[in-house]
Amino acid sequence: MDHAAEAELLKLSRQLLDSIDSGNWAAYCELCDPSITCFEPEANGHLVEGMPFHKFYFDLPGSGTPKQSSIVSPKVRVFGDGAVVTYVRAVQKLTADGAPVTVCADETRVWQRIGGAWKHVHFHRSPCA
Ligand code: GLY
C-alpha cells in the first residue's frame, strides 16, 4: 500500500471540492485533465467529456452564501499510475429561506498520474439514497 500517494490523493480531492465550493475555476482546471469524463446528475444520464460543461456552473453568479463540502468515509485505491477515490460528500449550505441544510452525494473520482502529477480524469456522482 502506498500511504504517501493515498494521503496526497485525499488532499487533492479536498482541494478539488474546495475549488468547486469557492467557484475557483483556475484551481479546478489545475487539478483536472482537459479530457475528463463524468456522469453527474446535471448531465441527465449522459457521459460528459471535457471541461466546458463544468465551466458553465463556475460562470454562474454565486449565491453569496457559505457552502462547504466534507469528505466522509473515504477509500483510496492506488494501482500504478491510476487511483480511485470514493467517499460520501456532505455539502453544507443554506436553503433559499436561509436555513442551513446538508445534502449528501456518493462520489467516485478517478485520478491518473500524467507527466509526474496526479490529474483528475473521471468522476461519477449520485445523490445518496
Ligand atoms: N461538477 C464538477 C465536479 O463535481 O467535479
Side-chain angles (χ1 to χ4, degrees):
M1 229 181 272
D2 187 341
H3 292 296
E6 290 177 7
E8 182 184 1
L9 284 155
L10 262 186
K11 185 175 154 198
L12 292 173
S13 299
R14 289 197 186 93
Q15 288 176 2
L16 187 81
L17 298 189
D18 287 348
S19 74
I20 295 166
D21 289 343
S22 63
N24 187 338
W25 176 244
Y28 187 76
C29 288
E30 183 67 28
L31 293 163
C32 295
D33 184 79
S35 71
I36 188 169
T37 51
C38 80
F39 287 111
E40 63 176 343
E42 292 88 335
N44 291 330
H46 297 281
L47 180 71
V48 167
E49 185 167 358
M51 298 293 280
F53 184 86
H54 306 293
K55 188 169 189 303
F56 173 85
Y57 297 98
F58 281 81
D59 286 345
L60 293 175
S63 66
T65 59
K67 186 178 174 194
Q68 173 175 285
S69 293
S70 296
I71 290 178
V72 183
S73 306
K75 298 283 179 215
V76 182
R77 182 178 294 254
V78 180
F79 38 92
D81 284 339
V84 174
V85 181
T86 58
Y87 52 84
V88 174
R89 175 175 169 187
V91 182
Q92 296 164 274
K93 57 185 183 178
L94 301 183
T95 65
D97 297 332
V101 65
T102 301
V103 178
C104 292
D106 300 324
E107 291 196 346
T108 299
R109 295 196 180 258
V110 181
W111 296 77
Q112 182 179 357
R113 190 174 272 286
I114 301 172
W118 288 109
K119 293 292 177 182
H120 187 28
V121 295
H122 176 77
F123 68 94
H124 194 140
R125 181 171 58 255
S126 308
C128 288

